[in-house]
Amino acid sequence: MAAHDRLAVVLVATRNPLNIGAAARAMGNFGFAELRVVAPYDAGFREARSAVGASELLENAAEFSSVAEAVGDCSLVVGTTAVGTRELLHPLKRLEEGGALIREGLETGRAALLFGSEKRGLSNDDLSHCHWLLRIPTLDSHRSMNLGQAVAVCLYELARLAEAASCSGGPPMAEAEELERLTQALFAAQRASGYTKRGAEESSLEKTRRLVRRMTLNSEDAQTWTGILARINLRLKGTNR
């Protein structure tokens, strides 16, 4: 099961069925399919017109009478809050940090992301089921977000992190020996071309070494650049004879 499939978006006591539809649409946008609804005010939420392109997801939403039932199979439960003036008894994390922690949790089990009603958010009883809380960093003067927008922002962050992780694959990073070979090849080209001044070889080599390491090359790229510079150095030796 893919990590995306292990996340349940849980909407608690949602008052407006259009917001449930908007949340379903956001889930479809970012590839999440597990929607759970707890005690919605309007039983007709499955017909919400706002679920553009996500009508099947909305139709398959699981309905529960309590938060306890909705998160029973989840090993990580995270509640969302705008904070405001309420006293919180849970650790509170910003979306950037919390998103990364949720992604980690999805690698080993199911996670639930809870959103409360539009009017009051999650109750203290709802929050008691959570391991920690998540907040979207909005302005203090406009803390509260529309439910559908809040779901979209949170899921975008999770999808972004997943894409970043998938893009991090590929050749391993260059090892110190590979970087040193590249450093020596680049330094040799500097000397042969007259770029490095006489008497400044030691400091120039140190600068070159730091430059190469700032490039954060993978192993394949380091070997390619070393090969290119080796050819250049051969040509330079020939022209300097």
Side-chain angles (χ1 to χ4, degrees):
M1 180 182 291
H4 264 43
D5 296 330
R6 288 194 287 269
L7 178 76
V9 174
V10 182
L11 307 182
V12 182
T14 308
R15 304 175 68 87
N16 189 335
L18 292 177
N19 286 331
I20 300 179
R25 182 177 184 179
M27 292 175 66
N29 289 147
F30 298 112
F32 296 89
E34 185 77 20
L35 176 60
R36 302 180 182 184
V37 179
V38 178
Y41 277 57
D42 191 332
F45 70 88
R46 297 182 194 276
E47 311 299 325
R49 298 187 303 276
S50 53
V52 179
S55 56
E56 183 176 354
L57 190 155
L58 192 61
E59 181 63 30
N60 293 329
E63 192 170 349
F64 299 86
S65 58
S66 69
V67 170
E69 294 175 347
V71 303
D73 61 344
C74 298
S75 55
L76 174 63
V77 181
V78 178
T80 58
T81 178
V83 185
T85 58
R86 73 188 303 174
E87 181 182 0
L88 300 178
L89 302 177
H90 292 70
L92 178 66
K93 304 181 187 300
R94 281 172 57 107
L95 179 58
E96 308 94 295
E97 178 190 5
L101 293 174
I102 293 173
R103 288 298 316 178
E104 290 179 11
L106 290 173
E107 295 300 323
T108 55
R110 286 188 175 276
L113 185 57
L114 275 60
F115 296 86
S117 74
E118 301 91 329
K119 190 172 183 179
R120 295 188 177 85
L122 294 168
S123 69
N124 288 335
D125 184 66
D126 298 332
L127 294 179
S128 69
H129 295 278
C130 300
H131 292 88
W132 45 268
L133 306 181
L134 179 74
R135 79 173 184 90
I136 299 171
T138 55
L139 292 176
D140 288 342
S141 56
H142 295 280
R143 288 193 182 97
S144 181
M145 293 184 69
N146 171 270
L147 176 59
Q149 292 176 331
V151 172
V153 170
C154 291
L155 296 187
Y156 164 75
E157 179 65 11
L158 293 176
R160 184 190 67 80
L161 291 169
E163 184 175 354
S166 66
C167 291
S168 65
M173 297 304 295
E175 296 179 351
E177 291 181 349
E178 294 174 313
L179 293 178
E180 186 59 26
R181 284 195 291 270
L182 173 56
T183 298
Q184 295 297 334
L186 180 55
F187 183 62
Q190 291 173 344
R191 295 183 65 184
S193 65
Y195 181 84
T196 299
K197 296 179 180 179
R198 290 182 180 274
E201 287 87 353
E202 184 176 349
S203 62
S204 294
L205 177 58
E206 291 176 357
K207 289 180 181 178
T208 301
R209 187 172 287 120
R210 289 194 295 269
L211 170 66
V212 168
R213 280 148 182 79
R214 286 199 302 270
M215 295 167 69
T216 60
L217 297 169
N218 63 44
S219 179
E220 184 178 314
D221 288 345
Q223 293 177 34
T224 298
W225 279 112
T226 302
I228 292 172
L229 288 166
R231 288 295 186 94
I232 292 174
N233 286 329
L234 284 175
R235 291 295 183 91
L236 289 172
K237 285 183 179 180
T239 58
N240 290 337
R241 286 177 181 173

